[in-house]
Amino acid sequence: MRDTRESRLLLVLLVAVAFALITVDIRGGQESPVDGARQAAAAVFGPVENGVAAAVDPIGNAIGAVRDSGERHNRIAALEKENAALKAELGSDDRNRNRLRELDSLLKTAGAGQYGIKGAQVIAIGSAQGFSWTVTIDVGARDGIQRDMTVLNGAGLVGRVTTVGPSTSTVLLANDPDFTVGTRMEKTDELGFATGQGDRPLLVQLLNGKAKVKPGDRLVTFGSAGDRPFVPGVPVGEIIRVDPMGGGLTRNVYVRPYVGFSKLDIVGVVVQAPRSDPRDTVLPQKPKPAPTVTVTVTAKPPAEGEQAQGEKAEQPLRNQAQDQRAGQDQAQDQQAGQDQAQDPVPDQAQNQEQNPDDQGDATP
Protein backbone atom coordinates (compact mmCIF):
# COMPACT_ATOMS: atom_id res chain seq x y z
CA MET A 1 0.00 0.00 0.00
CA ARG A 2 1.38 3.31 -1.05
CA ASP A 3 1.96 5.96 1.61
CA THR A 4 -0.47 8.66 0.50
CA ARG A 5 -2.55 11.25 2.23
CA GLU A 6 -5.65 9.09 1.96
CA SER A 7 -3.97 6.07 3.55
CA ARG A 8 -2.74 8.14 6.48
CA LEU A 9 -6.22 9.57 6.96
CA LEU A 10 -7.70 6.04 6.92
CA LEU A 11 -5.20 4.85 9.53
CA VAL A 12 -6.06 7.74 11.83
CA LEU A 13 -9.74 6.99 11.41
CA LEU A 14 -9.29 3.28 12.24
CA VAL A 15 -7.27 4.12 15.39
CA ALA A 16 -10.00 6.54 16.49
CA VAL A 17 -12.71 3.90 15.92
CA ALA A 18 -10.65 1.30 17.87
CA PHE A 19 -10.32 3.63 20.86
CA ALA A 20 -14.03 4.40 20.71
CA LEU A 21 -14.92 0.69 20.70
CA ILE A 22 -12.54 0.01 23.61
CA THR A 23 -14.11 2.83 25.62
CA VAL A 24 -17.65 1.62 24.93
CA ASP A 25 -16.66 -2.00 25.76
CA ILE A 26 -15.08 -1.03 29.10
CA ARG A 27 -18.07 1.14 30.16
CA GLY A 28 -20.63 -1.42 29.03
CA GLY A 29 -19.19 -4.34 31.08
CA GLN A 30 -21.18 -7.51 30.57
CA GLU A 31 -23.80 -5.56 28.54
CA SER A 32 -21.21 -4.27 26.15
CA PRO A 33 -22.61 -3.74 22.60
CA VAL A 34 -19.54 -5.50 21.15
CA ASP A 35 -19.92 -8.61 23.28
CA GLY A 36 -21.77 -10.42 20.50
CA ALA A 37 -19.02 -9.63 18.04
CA ARG A 38 -16.42 -10.86 20.58
CA GLN A 39 -18.21 -14.18 21.02
CA ALA A 40 -18.58 -14.58 17.27
CA ALA A 41 -14.87 -13.93 16.81
CA ALA A 42 -14.07 -16.43 19.58
CA ALA A 43 -16.22 -19.07 17.89
CA VAL A 44 -14.46 -18.51 14.61
CA PHE A 45 -10.86 -18.05 15.72
CA GLY A 46 -10.87 -20.30 18.87
CA PRO A 47 -10.26 -23.60 17.06
CA VAL A 48 -7.55 -21.97 14.99
CA GLU A 49 -5.82 -20.69 18.11
CA ASN A 50 -5.97 -24.11 19.77
CA GLY A 51 -4.48 -25.78 16.73
CA VAL A 52 -1.71 -23.23 16.50
CA ALA A 53 -1.05 -23.55 20.24
CA ALA A 54 -0.89 -27.37 20.03
CA ALA A 55 1.63 -27.10 17.24
CA VAL A 56 3.70 -24.39 18.87
CA ASP A 57 3.70 -25.57 22.55
CA PRO A 58 6.25 -28.44 22.13
CA ILE A 59 8.58 -26.10 20.37
CA GLY A 60 8.12 -23.54 23.11
CA ASN A 61 8.69 -26.15 25.77
CA ALA A 62 11.82 -27.33 24.03
CA ILE A 63 13.08 -23.78 23.75
CA GLY A 64 12.30 -23.25 27.46
CA ALA A 65 14.04 -26.49 28.38
CA VAL A 66 17.11 -25.47 26.43
CA ARG A 67 17.00 -22.05 28.04
CA ASP A 68 16.64 -23.55 31.56
CA SER A 69 19.07 -26.45 31.05
CA GLY A 70 22.02 -24.38 32.16
CA GLU A 71 20.27 -23.39 35.35
CA ARG A 72 19.22 -26.97 36.06
CA HIS A 73 22.73 -28.22 35.41
CA ASN A 74 24.11 -25.69 37.84
CA ARG A 75 21.52 -26.74 40.41
CA ILE A 76 22.44 -30.42 40.03
CA ALA A 77 26.11 -29.58 40.32
CA ALA A 78 25.42 -27.56 43.46
CA LEU A 79 23.47 -30.46 44.99
CA GLU A 80 26.23 -32.93 44.15
CA LYS A 81 28.81 -30.63 45.70
CA GLU A 82 26.69 -30.26 48.82
CA ASN A 83 26.29 -34.04 49.04
CA ALA A 84 30.04 -34.56 48.72
CA ALA A 85 30.63 -31.95 51.42
CA LEU A 86 28.22 -33.75 53.75
CA LYS A 87 29.97 -37.08 53.13
CA ALA A 88 33.34 -35.48 53.75
CA GLU A 89 32.03 -33.93 56.95
CA LEU A 90 30.77 -37.30 58.18
CA GLY A 91 34.09 -38.92 57.32
CA SER A 92 36.04 -36.12 58.97
CA ASP A 93 34.07 -36.65 62.20
CA ASP A 94 35.40 -40.20 62.46
CA ARG A 95 38.90 -39.03 61.65
CA ASN A 96 38.67 -36.17 64.14
CA ARG A 97 37.55 -38.56 66.86
CA ASN A 98 40.50 -40.84 66.08
CA ARG A 99 42.94 -37.94 66.11
CA LEU A 100 41.44 -36.71 69.37
CA ARG A 101 42.10 -40.10 70.95
CA GLU A 102 45.70 -40.07 69.67
CA LEU A 103 46.25 -36.56 70.98
CA ASP A 104 44.81 -37.48 74.37
CA SER A 105 47.08 -40.53 74.57
CA LEU A 106 50.09 -38.43 73.56
CA LEU A 107 49.39 -35.86 76.27
CA LYS A 108 49.04 -38.60 78.91
CA THR A 109 52.37 -40.14 77.90
CA ALA A 110 54.10 -36.75 77.91
CA GLY A 111 52.60 -35.95 81.30
CA ALA A 112 53.69 -39.29 82.81
CA GLY A 113 57.29 -38.74 81.67
CA GLN A 114 57.32 -34.96 82.23
CA TYR A 115 58.35 -34.41 78.61
CA GLY A 116 57.95 -30.98 77.07
CA ILE A 117 56.62 -31.71 73.57
CA LYS A 118 55.68 -29.93 70.39
CA GLY A 119 52.70 -31.57 68.70
CA ALA A 120 52.96 -32.38 65.01
CA GLN A 121 51.16 -34.24 62.25
CA VAL A 122 52.64 -36.69 59.80
CA ILE A 123 52.16 -35.23 56.33
CA ALA A 124 54.31 -37.53 54.19
CA ILE A 125 55.94 -40.94 54.22
CA GLY A 126 59.43 -41.65 52.93
CA SER A 127 62.29 -39.39 52.13
CA ALA A 128 63.52 -37.78 48.95
CA GLN A 129 67.08 -38.83 49.85
CA GLY A 130 66.51 -42.61 49.77
CA PHE A 131 64.31 -45.54 50.68
CA SER A 132 64.75 -45.39 54.45
CA TRP A 133 61.90 -45.68 56.95
CA THR A 134 61.13 -41.99 57.47
CA VAL A 135 58.19 -39.64 57.75
CA THR A 136 57.81 -35.90 57.32
CA ILE A 137 56.07 -33.83 60.01
CA ASP A 138 54.59 -30.35 59.73
CA VAL A 139 56.85 -28.58 62.25
CA GLY A 140 60.33 -27.23 61.71
CA ALA A 141 62.92 -24.66 62.76
CA ARG A 142 60.27 -21.94 63.12
CA ASP A 143 58.63 -24.10 65.78
CA GLY A 144 61.83 -24.69 67.74
CA ILE A 145 62.60 -28.11 66.28
CA GLN A 146 66.26 -29.13 66.11
CA ARG A 147 68.16 -32.09 64.80
CA ASP A 148 68.49 -35.21 67.03
CA MET A 149 65.34 -34.63 69.05
CA THR A 150 63.27 -37.58 70.29
CA VAL A 151 59.92 -38.18 68.61
CA LEU A 152 57.16 -40.16 70.35
CA ASN A 153 53.43 -40.69 70.36
CA GLY A 154 50.93 -42.02 72.86
CA ALA A 155 52.24 -45.59 72.47
CA GLY A 156 55.99 -45.00 72.77
CA LEU A 157 59.14 -44.29 70.79
CA VAL A 158 58.61 -43.21 67.16
CA GLY A 159 62.13 -42.14 66.16
CA ARG A 160 64.43 -39.12 66.05
CA VAL A 161 64.64 -35.96 63.99
CA THR A 162 67.31 -36.13 61.28
CA THR A 163 66.61 -33.15 58.99
CA VAL A 164 65.00 -29.82 59.88
CA GLY A 165 63.52 -27.33 57.43
CA PRO A 166 61.82 -23.99 58.08
CA SER A 167 58.36 -25.52 58.50
CA THR A 168 58.86 -29.30 58.17
CA SER A 169 61.17 -31.98 59.56
CA THR A 170 62.20 -35.52 58.66
CA VAL A 171 61.99 -38.24 61.29
CA LEU A 172 63.97 -41.49 61.10
CA LEU A 173 61.68 -44.22 62.43
CA ALA A 174 62.79 -46.69 65.09
CA ASN A 175 62.30 -49.68 62.78
CA ASP A 176 64.82 -48.40 60.22
CA PRO A 177 67.93 -50.63 59.93
CA ASP A 178 70.14 -47.58 60.52
CA PHE A 179 68.34 -46.75 63.76
CA THR A 180 69.93 -47.72 67.09
CA VAL A 181 68.82 -46.75 70.60
CA GLY A 182 70.03 -47.73 74.07
CA THR A 183 67.46 -49.68 76.08
CA ARG A 184 66.93 -50.69 79.69
CA MET A 185 64.87 -53.63 80.93
CA GLU A 186 62.00 -53.02 83.28
CA LYS A 187 62.81 -53.91 86.95
CA THR A 188 66.08 -55.77 86.19
CA ASP A 189 67.75 -52.71 84.57
CA GLU A 190 69.60 -54.92 82.06
CA LEU A 191 71.07 -52.69 79.35
CA GLY A 192 71.15 -53.28 75.61
CA PHE A 193 70.96 -51.76 72.15
CA ALA A 194 67.86 -51.99 69.94
CA THR A 195 68.23 -51.95 66.15
CA GLY A 196 65.41 -51.64 63.60
CA GLN A 197 64.67 -54.46 61.16
CA GLY A 198 62.02 -52.92 58.93
CA ASP A 199 58.69 -54.67 59.24
CA ARG A 200 60.21 -57.33 61.56
CA PRO A 201 60.58 -57.08 65.36
CA LEU A 202 63.38 -54.96 66.80
CA LEU A 203 66.62 -56.80 67.53
CA VAL A 204 67.94 -56.02 71.02
CA GLN A 205 71.44 -57.09 71.98
CA LEU A 206 71.71 -57.33 75.78
CA LEU A 207 75.12 -56.56 77.22
CA ASN A 208 74.80 -59.36 79.77
CA GLY A 209 74.98 -62.72 78.03
CA LYS A 210 73.55 -64.47 81.11
CA ALA A 211 70.69 -62.04 81.64
CA LYS A 212 67.48 -63.75 82.75
CA VAL A 213 64.78 -62.54 80.40
CA LYS A 214 61.54 -64.01 79.11
CA PRO A 215 58.78 -63.11 76.64
CA GLY A 216 56.60 -60.35 78.01
CA ASP A 217 59.43 -58.38 79.62
CA ARG A 218 59.37 -54.70 78.63
CA LEU A 219 61.99 -52.13 77.64
CA VAL A 220 62.34 -48.34 77.73
CA THR A 221 64.95 -45.98 76.33
CA PHE A 222 68.08 -45.63 78.45
CA GLY A 223 68.70 -42.03 77.41
CA SER A 224 71.62 -40.20 75.86
CA ALA A 225 74.20 -37.74 77.11
CA GLY A 226 72.57 -34.35 77.22
CA ASP A 227 69.22 -36.04 76.35
CA ARG A 228 70.09 -35.94 72.65
CA PRO A 229 69.07 -37.78 70.58
CA PHE A 230 67.05 -39.77 73.15
CA VAL A 231 65.44 -38.86 76.41
CA PRO A 232 65.12 -41.63 79.05
CA GLY A 233 62.04 -43.64 79.96
CA VAL A 234 60.23 -43.71 76.60
CA PRO A 235 58.49 -47.09 76.10
CA VAL A 236 60.09 -49.17 73.33
CA GLY A 237 58.26 -52.51 73.32
CA GLU A 238 58.06 -55.97 74.87
CA ILE A 239 60.06 -59.13 74.28
CA ILE A 240 58.41 -61.80 72.13
CA ARG A 241 61.36 -64.19 71.60
CA VAL A 242 64.65 -64.94 73.35
CA ASP A 243 67.64 -66.64 71.78
CA PRO A 244 69.16 -69.40 73.94
CA MET A 245 72.30 -68.56 75.86
CA GLY A 246 75.34 -69.54 73.84
CA GLY A 247 78.04 -68.66 76.33
CA GLY A 248 78.81 -65.34 74.62
CA LEU A 249 79.21 -61.94 76.17
CA THR A 250 75.88 -60.73 74.79
CA ARG A 251 72.41 -62.16 74.29
CA ASN A 252 69.86 -61.40 71.58
CA VAL A 253 66.16 -60.87 72.17
CA TYR A 254 63.42 -59.77 69.77
CA VAL A 255 61.04 -56.98 70.71
CA ARG A 256 57.63 -56.05 69.34
CA PRO A 257 57.51 -52.23 69.33
CA TYR A 258 54.55 -50.47 70.89
CA VAL A 259 54.26 -48.03 67.97
CA GLY A 260 52.52 -49.00 64.74
CA PHE A 261 54.86 -47.39 62.21
CA SER A 262 52.48 -47.93 59.29
CA LYS A 263 49.66 -45.81 60.78
CA LEU A 264 51.32 -42.76 62.28
CA ASP A 265 49.33 -39.53 62.43
CA ILE A 266 49.75 -37.40 65.57
CA VAL A 267 53.23 -37.33 67.12
CA GLY A 268 55.15 -35.17 69.55
CA VAL A 269 58.72 -33.86 69.37
CA VAL A 270 60.40 -33.66 72.78
CA VAL A 271 61.71 -30.10 72.98
CA GLN A 272 62.35 -30.23 76.74
CA ALA A 273 63.77 -33.26 78.56
CA PRO A 274 62.44 -34.33 81.97
CA ARG A 275 64.24 -33.13 85.08
CA SER A 276 64.72 -36.70 86.32
CA ASP A 277 64.66 -40.13 84.71
CA PRO A 278 61.05 -41.38 84.73
CA ARG A 279 62.38 -44.96 84.51
CA ASP A 280 59.38 -47.34 84.23
CA THR A 281 56.56 -44.91 85.06
CA VAL A 282 55.68 -44.22 81.42
CA LEU A 283 55.13 -47.89 80.57
CA PRO A 284 51.46 -48.81 80.16
CA GLN A 285 49.84 -50.72 82.97
CA LYS A 286 49.81 -54.46 82.53
CA PRO A 287 46.35 -55.97 82.19
CA LYS A 288 45.15 -57.54 85.43
CA PRO A 289 44.32 -61.25 85.31
CA ALA A 290 40.66 -62.07 85.32
CA PRO A 291 39.40 -63.06 88.79
CA THR A 292 38.74 -66.77 89.38
CA VAL A 293 35.13 -67.56 90.04
CA THR A 294 34.62 -70.14 92.83
CA VAL A 295 31.31 -71.96 92.90
CA THR A 296 30.28 -73.58 96.22
CA VAL A 297 27.58 -76.24 96.06
CA THR A 298 25.58 -76.74 99.25
CA ALA A 299 23.65 -79.98 99.65
CA LYS A 300 19.97 -79.37 100.25
CA PRO A 301 18.57 -81.32 103.22
CA PRO A 302 15.81 -83.72 102.16
CA ALA A 303 12.26 -82.94 103.01
CA GLU A 304 10.37 -85.02 105.60
CA GLY A 305 8.63 -87.11 102.95
CA GLU A 306 11.89 -87.65 101.05
CA GLN A 307 13.72 -88.55 104.30
CA ALA A 308 11.05 -91.14 105.25
CA GLN A 309 11.17 -92.59 101.76
CA GLY A 310 14.95 -92.76 101.92
CA GLU A 311 14.83 -94.54 105.28
CA LYS A 312 12.34 -97.04 103.87
CA ALA A 313 14.64 -97.64 100.93
CA GLU A 314 17.66 -98.11 103.23
CA GLN A 315 15.84 -100.49 105.69
CA PRO A 316 16.08 -103.61 103.45
CA LEU A 317 19.79 -102.89 102.95
CA ARG A 318 20.32 -102.67 106.71
CA ASN A 319 18.45 -105.94 107.29
CA GLN A 320 20.48 -107.66 104.58
CA ALA A 321 23.73 -106.43 106.13
CA GLN A 322 22.66 -107.65 109.58
CA ASP A 323 21.76 -111.09 108.19
CA GLN A 324 25.16 -111.29 106.50
CA ARG A 325 26.97 -110.37 109.74
CA ALA A 326 24.86 -112.98 111.69
CA GLY A 327 25.75 -115.67 109.13
CA GLN A 328 29.43 -114.78 109.38
CA ASP A 329 29.30 -115.01 113.22
CA GLN A 330 27.58 -118.42 113.09
CA ALA A 331 30.18 -119.73 110.63
CA GLN A 332 32.98 -118.54 112.94
CA ASP A 333 31.37 -120.33 115.91
CA GLN A 334 31.11 -123.55 113.96
CA GLN A 335 34.74 -123.35 112.92
CA ALA A 336 35.80 -122.77 116.51
CA GLY A 337 33.84 -125.89 117.62
CA GLN A 338 35.53 -128.00 115.04
CA ASP A 339 38.96 -126.79 116.08
CA GLN A 340 38.22 -127.57 119.73
CA ALA A 341 37.04 -131.13 118.88
CA GLN A 342 40.26 -131.86 117.02
CA ASP A 343 42.62 -130.69 119.81
CA PRO A 344 43.40 -133.17 122.71
CA VAL A 345 41.97 -132.53 126.14
CA PRO A 346 44.44 -130.38 127.96
CA ASP A 347 44.25 -132.19 131.33
CA GLN A 348 44.62 -135.63 129.82
CA ALA A 349 47.57 -134.63 127.75
CA GLN A 350 49.19 -133.03 130.77
CA ASN A 351 48.71 -136.18 132.88
CA GLN A 352 50.26 -138.31 130.19
CA GLU A 353 53.30 -136.03 130.08
CA GLN A 354 53.70 -136.06 133.86
CA ASN A 355 53.35 -139.89 134.39
CA PRO A 356 55.07 -141.71 131.58
CA ASP A 357 56.25 -144.47 133.97
CA ASP A 358 52.76 -145.21 135.06
CA GLN A 359 51.88 -145.84 131.51
CA GLY A 360 54.78 -148.28 131.27
CA ASP A 361 53.78 -150.18 134.45
CA ALA A 362 50.33 -150.60 133.23
CA THR A 363 51.65 -152.46 130.28
CA PRO A 364 51.25 -156.32 130.92
Side-chain angles (χ1 to χ4, degrees), residues 133-342:
W133 292 78
T134 60
V135 295
T136 302
I137 56 178
D138 61 350
V139 292
R142 297 173 184 172
D143 305 290
I145 307 302
Q146 299 178 8
R147 194 172 183 271
D148 286 337
M149 283 186 170
T150 306
V151 182
L152 51 81
N153 66 1
L157 180 66
V158 173
R160 63 181 176 86
V161 178
T162 56
T163 305
V164 180
S167 58
T168 60
S169 301
T170 301
V171 178
L172 182 67
L173 301 181
N175 64 336
D176 188 272
D178 292 333
F179 186 95
T180 302
V181 57
T183 62
R184 182 175 56 80
M185 293 289 302
E186 179 186 15
K187 297 181 180 179
T188 62
D189 292 339
E190 293 287 352
L191 301 181
F193 292 96
T195 303
Q197 296 191 112
D199 54 0
R200 294 180 296 168
L202 303 177
L203 172 62
V204 179
Q205 192 175 42
L206 298 177
L207 300 182
N208 182 4
K210 298 181 180 179
K212 295 181 179 180
V213 292
K214 62 183 183 302
D217 290 345
R218 304 184 295 180
L219 301 91
V220 297
T221 56
F222 178 71
S224 306
D227 299 316
R228 301 278 288 272
F230 301 109
V231 294
V234 181
V236 176
E238 68 177 42
I239 296 176
I240 59 174
R241 184 163 64 91
V242 180
D243 282 350
M245 290 186 296
L249 298 177
T250 61
R251 190 177 187 184
N252 293 338
V253 298
Y254 299 88
V255 174
R256 180 176 59 242
Y258 287 124
V259 174
F261 298 105
S262 61
K263 50 183 179 181
L264 293 172
D265 188 10
I266 303 298
V267 299
V269 182
V270 181
V271 295
Q272 183 177 357
R275 295 181 179 179
S276 60
D277 188 349
R279 301 186 69 81
D280 304 334
T281 59
V282 190
L283 284 169
Q285 294 183 355
K286 291 185 176 181
K288 297 181 179 179
T292 303
V293 179
T294 303
V295 180
T296 303
V297 180
T298 304
K300 180 181 179 182
E304 295 180 358
E306 295 178 354
Q307 185 175 4
Q309 185 178 1
E311 292 178 352
K312 292 180 181 179
E314 293 176 357
Q315 188 63 34
L317 298 177
R318 294 196 189 100
N319 297 335
Q320 184 178 359
Q322 292 176 358
D323 295 340
Q324 290 178 356
R325 285 196 295 271
Q328 292 176 358
D329 294 340
Q330 185 177 0
Q332 291 176 358
D333 293 340
Q334 292 177 357
Q335 183 67 29
Q338 293 176 1
D339 294 340
Q340 185 175 3
Q342 292 176 359

Side-chain angles (χ1 to χ4, degrees), residues 58-72:
I59 300 175
N61 292 336
I63 295 173
V66 173
R67 183 179 62 251
D68 297 337
S69 62
E71 183 179 355
R72 291 179 181 177

